Amino acid sequence: MKIITENITIKNEVLTLTNHRAIYWQRENALILSDIHIGKTAHFRRHGIPMPDDILQKDLERLKNLILYFNTEILLIVGDLFHAESNTDMKTFKEWLTQFIDLKLILIKGNHDKLSTQLLSHFNIHEKAELVLEPFTFIHEPPKSSTKVFFISGHTHPGVLIKGKGRQKLKLPCYQISSNQLVLPAFSLFTGLNIHAQPENATCYAFTDESIFKF
């Protein structure tokens, strides 16, 4: 797994974008991501829709490599860590967590995060509706109006459409950055890309396995 990074500065804070759908914040030694949707594949299988068994394992392997690469102490998930009710994927996630006994997990509750408080405590997850770490406020859904507060959010699964010659088109995940918010791409590879929801005057940082580029 090749990790490509690009540093950007927001509110005098350096954030490191990666080509693996997560941001590293050195000041807090935190890896920030959104929309992992653990339990989604098991939920679909439970309802008779065949899904590959290794989707979650691939997501967790990428996450492990990022945690080790940055030697991070905090995993900050900006919503939708889980997808549905408790299912077999929760056990997989619980076993995966045992290799990171000192890792602090903070979850900003998303619209899919409906597990009970008791079950969240089983994972030793600190759940919050929002989190303020100056100069940023972390929420799951991007604000609908302009504000002086700078939000870091997820939820919309942002992507861009790149048009090539003829009918060639390519969709890529991206980070969207505007004057008052940064929208994270969905971390899970098992998500669609929304190429229509974009904040006004946003700059996009799209990425591939080999590069990060701004447009």
Side-chain angles (χ1 to χ4, degrees):
M1 169 174 148
K2 188 175 182 179
I3 297 177
I4 306 296
T5 64
E6 180 161 338
N7 289 338
I8 60 172
T9 301
I10 299 177
K11 301 291 184 178
N12 296 317
E13 289 293 330
V14 176
L15 301 176
T16 302
L17 309 180
T18 76
N19 65 327
H20 289 284
R21 305 175 178 232
I23 290 175
Y24 177 66
W25 186 7
Q26 185 176 9
R27 192 194 83 184
E28 299 294 324
N29 195 10
L31 191 66
I32 306 166
L33 57 147
S34 184
D35 297 277
I36 307 179
H37 290 279
I38 293 171
K40 186 174 183 178
T41 52
H43 175 78
F44 279 17
R45 286 195 296 269
R46 179 181 289 181
H47 290 82
I49 303 172
M51 289 288 155
D53 293 332
D54 63 347
I55 291 175
L56 176 59
Q57 284 76 9
K58 288 180 178 179
D59 284 342
L60 293 178
E61 184 64 20
R62 284 191 302 118
L63 184 52
K64 174 184 176 180
N65 287 335
L66 287 167
I67 291 170
L68 295 176
Y69 180 84
F70 291 107
N71 194 26
T72 189
E73 297 176 350
I74 299 173
L75 188 60
L76 176 53
I77 303 105
V78 193
D80 288 354
L81 170 59
F82 300 107
H83 181 79
E85 71 287 344
S86 180
N87 57 40
T88 55
D89 282 351
M90 311 304 172
K91 181 180 179 182
T92 299
F93 180 55
K94 178 65 176 178
E95 292 175 350
W96 178 87
L97 278 175
T98 58
Q99 64 192 307
F100 299 112
I101 57 175
D102 294 324
L103 184 67
K104 181 179 181 180
L105 271 70
I106 302 174
L107 171 63
I108 310 304
K109 188 173 183 179
N111 55 299
H112 280 281
D113 292 312
K114 298 179 180 179
L115 296 186
S116 67
T117 302
Q118 181 179 4
L119 187 54
L120 287 174
S121 65
H122 181 64
F123 291 102
N124 197 25
I125 292 172
H126 305 271
E127 185 186 53
K128 300 177 182 294
E130 67 175 47
L131 175 66
V132 178
L133 288 174
E134 293 291 353
F136 306 125
T137 296
F138 297 88
I139 58 174
H140 179 55
E141 298 189 33
K144 296 181 180 179
S145 59
S146 180
T147 171
K148 293 182 180 180
V149 176
F150 194 95
F151 290 99
I152 294 180
S153 60
H155 183 60
T156 60
H157 304 186
V160 295
L161 180 65
I162 299 174
K163 296 181 180 180
K165 295 182 179 179
R167 296 184 178 180
Q168 293 180 338
K169 296 180 180 180
L170 177 65
K171 286 184 180 181
L172 294 174
C174 72
Y175 304 90
Q176 294 173 337
I177 303 171
S178 63
S179 60
N180 71 317
Q181 62 179 299
L182 185 160
V183 184
L184 291 154
F187 186 80
S188 177
L189 301 179
F190 186 43
T191 55
L193 294 176
N194 186 342
I195 62 172
H196 302 293
Q198 182 170 319
E200 186 177 357
N201 299 319
T203 297
C204 296
Y205 287 84
F207 49 89
T208 66
D209 290 342
E210 299 293 330
S211 63
I212 300 173
F213 50 96
K214 173 183 176 181
F215 65 96

